Amino acid sequence: MLEHRWYTVQTTSGHENKVQRLIQRKIDMDSASPEDRMIRQALVPTQEVVEIKNGKKVTVERKIFPGYVLVEMVAGQDTLHEVNAIQGVIKFVGKDKDPTPLRDDEVRRLLGVTDPEHESAVKEEIPFLVGQAVAITEGPFADFNGTVEEVLPDKGKVRVSVSLFGRPTSVELDYLQLRGY
């Protein structure tokens, strides 16, 4: 029985999907049965994040490790040469000339096989930092200026300190109601 492990391949920046497709083409052309194939699969790990585009929340897919592709294979001289010969591949990640396989816990995390209590659907990326000056654009505090006190990514909210009747007051707002300076 062959031991297939996951390895990381460094690629030319922006060519991750092309390298993944070329590796997949080699796998599809392999006449061996799926269990006997030396190279099983290649993938580009991505995650869905929420970004603001034109004032609206948009879910986009972003590469977790730009410039890298994961390959499940049996590391042998032939397979290493076969993958290294693909256009866009720079090298395997590892010490000296030997590729280092990923640990099982890393593979489970990258493939999205996690415990249900640790699973998060879509990660919202809040573009504000603590201490940043912001203007409130919507809601009851519209046209107020303030300073970010705390970012609450799990809620998609930002706690902002505004001056109300000359006294600092903390308000919790959706990050879409803010504009940075």
Side-chain angles (χ1 to χ4, degrees), residues 77-137:
Q77 197 169 13
D78 293 341
T79 53
L80 294 176
H81 178 71
E82 200 172 333
V83 173
N84 274 322
I86 292 173
Q87 182 182 358
V89 169
I90 295 174
K91 65 177 182 169
F92 277 91
V93 175
K95 293 183 178 166
D96 301 320
K97 293 188 190 258
D98 296 328
T100 303
L102 294 171
R103 295 189 321 263
D104 291 339
D105 60 316
E106 292 173 320
V107 172
R108 280 194 302 277
R109 184 174 50 82
L110 290 170
L111 297 178
V113 182
T114 58
D115 299 331
E117 65 260 13
H118 293 98
E119 197 172 307
S120 62
V122 175
K123 181 182 172 191
E124 292 204 35
E125 201 160 285
I126 299 180
F128 299 105
L129 302 171
V130 174
Q132 182 178 357
V134 292
I136 302 172
T137 57

Side-chain angles (χ1 to χ4, degrees), residues 13 15 20 22 26 38 42 51 54 65 73 80 88-89 108 117 124 127 129 140 144-145 149-150 154 170-171:
S13 183
H15 289 81
Q20 187 264 338
L22 290 171
K26 280 194 179 291
M38 299 299 276
E51 291 182 347
N54 300 326
F65 303 114
M73 61 181 228
L80 294 176
V89 169
R108 280 194 302 277
E117 65 260 13
E124 292 204 35
L129 302 171
F144 275 75
N145 294 323
E149 288 182 333
E150 186 179 3
D154 51 324
S170 188
V171 293

Side-chain angles (χ1 to χ4, degrees), residues 22-39:
L22 290 171
I23 293 172
Q24 191 60 49
R25 189 178 301 155
K26 280 194 179 291
I27 294 167
D28 294 342
M29 289 172 34
D30 190 346
S31 61
S33 67
E35 308 84 51
D36 295 333
R37 289 184 181 157
M38 299 299 276
I39 302 173

Side-chain angles (χ1 to χ4, degrees), residues 34-88:
E35 308 84 51
D36 295 333
R37 289 184 181 157
M38 299 299 276
I39 302 173
R40 275 198 187 146
Q41 60 180 319
L43 57 93
V44 178
T46 59
Q47 69 179 1
E48 288 187 342
V49 294
V50 176
E51 291 182 347
I52 304 171
K53 289 190 179 175
N54 300 326
K56 294 190 169 68
K57 286 184 181 181
V58 178
T59 303
V60 296
E61 207 170 71
R62 181 176 292 161
K63 292 177 180 82
I64 298 174
F65 303 114
Y68 294 93
V69 173
L70 301 181
V71 180
E72 184 183 19
M73 61 181 228
V74 174
Q77 197 169 13
D78 293 341
T79 53
L80 294 176
H81 178 71
E82 200 172 333
V83 173
N84 274 322
I86 292 173
Q87 182 182 358

